[in-house]
Amino acid sequence: DQQVKQNSPSLSVQEGRISILNCDYTNSMFDYFLWYKKYPAEGPTFLISISSIKDKNEDGRFTVFLNKSAKHLSLHIVPSQPGDSAVYFCAASAVNQGGKLIFGQGTELSVKP
Amino acid sequence: EPEVTQTPSHQVTQMGQEVILRCVPISNHLYFYWYRQILGQKVEFLVSFYNNEISEKSEIFDDQFSVERPDGSNFTLKIRSTKLEDSAMYFCASSWTGGPGQYFGPGTRLTVT
């Protein structure tokens, strides 16, 4: 099941610079997309989401962009901070599926001081 | 800040044994979920639960699995006869609306030997 894909297993960024995490999906029935952050030995923590009727959602340092025609979304973190170092999961859900989230494989972000 | 809690944090069991993983969702949430993450793989949806019944389940959630909300606070996942391949992190999640913004617990690491 590869409905949601994160093709970069890892990303390293300098503190203060922009981090861009990418996600692709195949199911055109997805109507909501989310980003979760996960530290080791903890559960995923909700970060930011976007409805399929929008193309951008911003919350502080975090912005999610959605390109429906390309079936692509990205998470921008600016400026990146060492505390942002974690695994970031892209997830998607489709209406009438009981809230089921389909996750990508995750991208491990390392922000170096 | 309210949070989802899970017990135990780590469960070791022998193949063929029954295990019950416990979760206390956020108190005013109405929708409950179980996910699992096998080491090195993506987070996978198992089941969603609302109004005392399963609303959606995945192919993984076969007859060996069951869920229950035995009282007003706990939400449990039972695996009747564990297999080696059931070894994984199991995450409970809950939400107020049944939409995609789910809050995850810290997980239970299940090790089947």
Side-chain angles (χ1 to χ4, degrees), chain A residues 64-86:
Chain A
V64 56
F65 295 93
L66 176 62
N67 182 336
K68 281 184 67 177
S69 61
K71 292 191 173 69
H72 177 85
L73 64 154
S74 60
L75 174 68
H76 292 211
I77 306 172
V78 56
S80 302
Q81 299 172 354
D84 296 330
S85 297

Side-chain angles (χ1 to χ4, degrees), chain B residues 68-105:
Chain B
E68 194 177 34
R69 188 153 162 82
D71 52 42
S73 59
N74 290 284
F75 179 51
T76 62
L77 174 70
K78 182 195 290 187
I79 309 175
R80 271 182 256 289
S81 177
T82 50
K83 302 189 277 282
L84 294 176
E85 53 264 38
D86 293 328
S87 295
M89 280 291 288
Y90 287 80
F91 295 106
C92 172
S94 69
S95 70
W96 165 242
T97 63
Q102 296 165 23
Y103 292 82
F104 283 74

Side-chain angles (χ1 to χ4, degrees), chain B:
Chain B
E1 184 177 323
E3 58 183 18
V4 177
T5 59
Q6 290 185 243
T7 54
S9 57
H10 190 190
Q11 173 87 47
V12 181
T13 189
Q14 288 193 323
M15 194 168 51
Q17 295 295 304
E18 174 184 287
V19 293
I20 298 176
L21 309 183
R22 291 184 164 79
C23 168
V24 178
I26 294 173
S27 63
N28 63 344
H29 283 186
L30 302 176
Y31 297 80
F32 314 109
Y33 311 85
W34 283 101
Y35 293 81
R36 79 173 186 190
Q37 185 181 27
I38 294 171
L39 187 63
Q41 298 185 24
K42 60 171 67 177
V43 177
E44 302 173 287
F45 169 81
L46 292 178
V47 66
S48 59
F49 190 86
Y50 170 70
N51 200 26
N52 281 321
E53 60 183 31
I54 291 172
S55 46
E56 183 84 18
K57 62 181 180 178
S58 72
E59 294 171 354
I60 303 166
F61 195 88
D62 61 21
D63 293 343
Q64 292 300 311
F65 291 86
S66 62
V67 289
E68 194 177 34
R69 188 153 162 82
D71 52 42
S73 59
N74 290 284
F75 179 51
T76 62
L77 174 70
K78 182 195 290 187
I79 309 175
R80 271 182 256 289
S81 177
T82 50
K83 302 189 277 282
L84 294 176
E85 53 264 38
D86 293 328
S87 295
M89 280 291 288
Y90 287 80
F91 295 106
C92 172
S94 69
S95 70
W96 165 242
T97 63
Q102 296 165 23
Y103 292 82
F104 283 74
T108 292
R109 178 171 298 285
L110 176 65
T111 302
V112 182
T113 61

Side-chain angles (χ1 to χ4, degrees), chain A residues 6-24:
Chain A
Q6 293 175 256
N7 290 316
S8 299
S10 63
L11 174 68
S12 183
V13 169
Q14 207 68 32
E15 180 179 6
R17 307 295 289 267
I18 185 170
S19 296
I20 300 177
L21 298 108
N22 294 301
C23 178
D24 297 296

Side-chain angles (χ1 to χ4, degrees), chain A residues 1-2 4 32 34 36 38 41-44 89 93 97-101 103-105, chain B residues 33 35 37 41-43 45 48 55-56 91 98-107:
Chain A
D1 181 353
Q2 293 289 307
V4 178
Y32 225 91
L34 308 90
Y36 279 84
K38 186 180 180 303
E42 294 184 14
F89 290 97
S93 73
Q97 289 209 344
K100 172 172 77 174
L101 292 178
F103 282 85
Q105 302 94 317
Chain B
Y33 311 85
Y35 293 81
Q37 185 181 27
Q41 298 185 24
K42 60 171 67 177
V43 177
F45 169 81
S48 59
S55 46
E56 183 84 18
F91 295 106
Q102 296 165 23
Y103 292 82
F104 283 74

